Amino acid sequence: MDFRIEHKDTASGARAGVISLPHGDVPTPIFMPVGTVGSVKGVFHRDLAGDIDAKIILGNTYHLYLRPGTDVLEKAGGLHRFSAWDRPLLTDSGGFQVFSLAQNRKITQGGCEFRSHIDGSKHLFTPERVVDIQRSIGADIMMAFDECPPGTAEYAYAARSLALTNQWLERCFERHASTRPLYGYEQTLMPIVQGCVYEDLRLKSAEYVKTFNADGYAIGGLAVGEPAEEMYRMIEVVNSVLPQDRPRYLMGVGTPENLLEAIERGVDMFDCVMPTRNGRNGMLFTGEGIINIRNKKWQDDFSPIDPGGTSFVDRTYTKAYLRHLTIAGEMLAAEIASIHNLAFYLWLVRTAREKIAEGTFAGWKKTMTGKLSNRL
RNA sequence: GGGAGAAUACCAGAGUGGCCAAAUGGGGCAGACUGUAAAUCUGCUGACGUACGUCUUCGGUGGUUCGAAUCCAUCUUCUCCCA
């Protein structure tokens, strides 16, 4: 993996660059749609690669290991071929499931034992196993196995957790170095900075991950219950340490506003379920603000979903029609909203990139953030 | 013409003397959702008040009772059965 910075914003930490991966180039800043089980829910690859123009999407190690399993993935020739997605792919390690499936898992020094949310069977995830699974999946970018503690974690817990994540990180890199890709292209491994909302832990963690001389660095454990201001502060702390010339990936974030704030602070990559999940639940993100399409006020609004939108759904369908579909529980509603939201997120980062290149990012960001969280 | 049964909130439908402004479901209205156990979850849904609460409701009317959606009389409407 290669990263080339093309423009730096003079007034902030924002940068615009290009990440080169085996399956293609990724302009940064970038938003990566989440496709946990090998599918960005409700969206055809045709539309992902078309109007949405997603440059890279996510898969999840934990979920793909449980279903369809590594045997099938290897027989298929990896997730790219299995799912017919020929652009770059990043897999999360299962570290987030240590957080989100906290009731179904037990952490030990060796790893994390999950009780499958599907059938209750037990599965031990070790750092080594997690790297192996990601080899089977064949992601361009694999993530280290970490523990993602909740945003409310106490200092003592956060410190212990970080120590464990660091041990796991070392084992991930050892495994990565001692194994080869299965499908003939390189897979890079990204370490993850943890440390909750504690500045000294974040600094320590950032210093530690830096010693692995990775192609890129992720910031994890944010947007998990702590106030947004804390998150922004942690990003600043961490990015003051992480190498300037490598991409920074803020995991699991976030709202459109979160993205702009983080871009301003030097973050290059994002992923979040928000555009898809919230879309399925009737929430639309637009350049003018947020729409809850279920609200009665859209009942007879026959204007396009988003006149400023970049996807075909924005021009084709009206708010009133989408509201009807959403309330009727039609699956088309989820598809339309997902396509719209993803197209908006990709538009947002694409435009941020242009503004950085033009040197007008600060002003644009100010205008945008004033509108993004409006309730329409 | 005779007989039986039923009428409850937007709809369906429990409740059959006080714990009932009335279960539950649907519908309606609003909210939540951040490396996806989520096409999911939560709240409200008679009126007025933030709230303790007060007032008006269970087809109509009139009774019985300390107290009625619940018991009685009667009227209305509907359903079914027999002629």
Side-chain angles (χ1 to χ4, degrees):
Chain A
M1 176 174 129
D2 175 65
F3 181 54
R4 185 174 77 249
I5 293 178
E6 296 180 336
H7 302 280
K8 281 187 180 174
D9 185 38
T10 47
S12 73
R15 336 79 81 73
V18 177
I19 299 170
S20 293
L21 290 163
H23 287 85
D25 284 353
V26 176
T28 65
I30 192 66
F31 178 80
M32 309 181 280
V34 178
T36 307
V37 297
S39 146
V40 175
K41 294 185 193 300
V43 184
F44 287 113
H45 289 348
R46 181 191 62 194
D47 297 322
L48 272 178
D51 278 5
I52 295 167
D53 201 16
K55 302 296 188 184
I56 172 172
I57 63 173
L58 257 71
N60 184 281
T61 303
Y62 168 82
H63 294 273
L64 290 166
Y65 158 84
L66 290 179
R67 269 194 312 219
T70 52
D71 284 356
V72 170
L73 288 168
E74 286 184 25
K75 277 186 200 162
L79 184 58
H80 279 100
R81 287 174 65 180
F82 185 52
S83 67
W85 174 254
D86 59 7
R87 294 187 180 189
L89 190 63
L90 179 151
T91 40
D92 184 32
S93 61
F96 186 70
Q97 279 62 46
V98 177
F99 163 73
S100 65
L101 300 179
Q103 273 130 355
N104 288 348
R105 55 80 172 152
K106 201 163 68 186
I107 299 174
T108 65
Q109 206 67 9
C112 183
E113 187 177 68
F114 286 99
R115 207 171 57 239
S116 162
H117 68 278
I118 299 165
D119 63 6
S121 55
K122 289 182 176 174
H123 303 268
L124 181 63
F125 279 61
T126 63
E128 292 79 14
R129 190 93 186 272
V130 164
V131 169
D132 292 348
I133 297 167
Q134 292 183 89
R135 290 287 193 204
S136 301
I137 295 170
D140 297 75
I141 301 173
M142 343 198 290
M143 300 306 301
F145 193 45
D146 64 335
E147 185 198 352
C148 176
T152 53
E154 309 238 323
Y155 184 88
Y157 184 88
R160 249 182 297 132
S161 168
L162 177 58
L164 184 65
T165 287
N166 287 348
Q167 282 178 36
W168 288 359
L169 179 59
E170 194 174 340
R171 288 166 59 189
C172 280
F173 267 94
E174 278 171 16
R175 188 63 154 208
H176 182 252
S178 66
T179 54
R180 300 301 309 154
L182 303 180
Y183 311 117
Y185 52 86
E186 286 305 312
Q187 296 176 275
T188 193
L189 174 66
M190 268 199 200
I192 303 171
V193 174
Q194 288 289 354
C196 294
V197 292
Y198 306 106
E199 187 168 330
D200 64 313
L201 295 182
R202 286 281 173 185
L203 286 170
K204 211 165 100 180
S205 177
E207 292 288 357
Y208 182 70
V209 299
K210 206 161 72 165
T211 64
F212 290 87
N213 191 29
D215 288 336
Y217 298 89
I219 307 169
L222 291 176
V224 283
E226 81 289 354
E229 288 310 317
E230 293 276 278
M231 170 168 79
Y232 299 145
R233 194 165 65 83
M234 289 303 119
I235 295 168
E236 288 168 17
V237 165
V238 169
N239 280 353
S240 71
V241 174
L242 293 180
Q244 286 286 330
D245 62 349
R246 309 286 158 88
R248 291 98 167 238
Y249 164 27
L250 179 59
M251 304 186 76
V253 175
T255 64
E257 198 173 357
N258 290 160
L259 263 56
L260 296 190
E261 293 296 337
I263 288 170
E264 183 176 51
R265 290 164 173 79
V267 173
D268 308 292
M269 304 164 69
F270 303 89
D271 79 280
C272 192
V273 303
M274 207 172 256
T276 43
R277 180 191 289 166
N278 289 30
R280 285 197 303 281
N281 295 327
M283 187 179 214
L284 303 181
F285 298 95
T286 79
E288 300 301 316
I290 293 166
I291 292 174
N292 182 344
I293 199 64
R294 290 179 322 203
N295 287 175
K296 195 178 184 65
K297 60 183 145 190
W298 308 117
Q299 189 171 42
D300 56 359
D301 186 327
F302 303 108
S303 64
I305 291 170
D306 182 5
T310 58
S311 73
F312 74 96
V313 299
D314 296 317
R315 301 182 296 274
T316 308
Y317 302 108
T318 64
K319 295 184 182 78
Y321 180 61
L322 180 56
R323 174 179 194 269
H324 158 67
L325 294 180
T326 304
I327 284 175
E330 285 295 311
M331 59 180 163
L332 183 58
E335 297 169 9
I336 292 171
S338 296
I339 291 173
H340 161 80
N341 280 345
L342 288 175
F344 174 70
Y345 267 63
L346 268 296
W347 170 85
L348 188 70
V349 292
R350 204 162 54 234
T351 306
R353 190 173 197 280
E354 285 166 15
K355 300 297 176 184
I356 293 166
E358 286 172 8
T360 56
F361 178 75
W364 174 77
K365 186 218 150 200
K366 195 175 174 190
T367 310
M368 285 307 294
T369 48
K371 299 194 284 183
L372 288 173
S373 52
N374 282 345
R375 294 292 175 142
L376 300 181

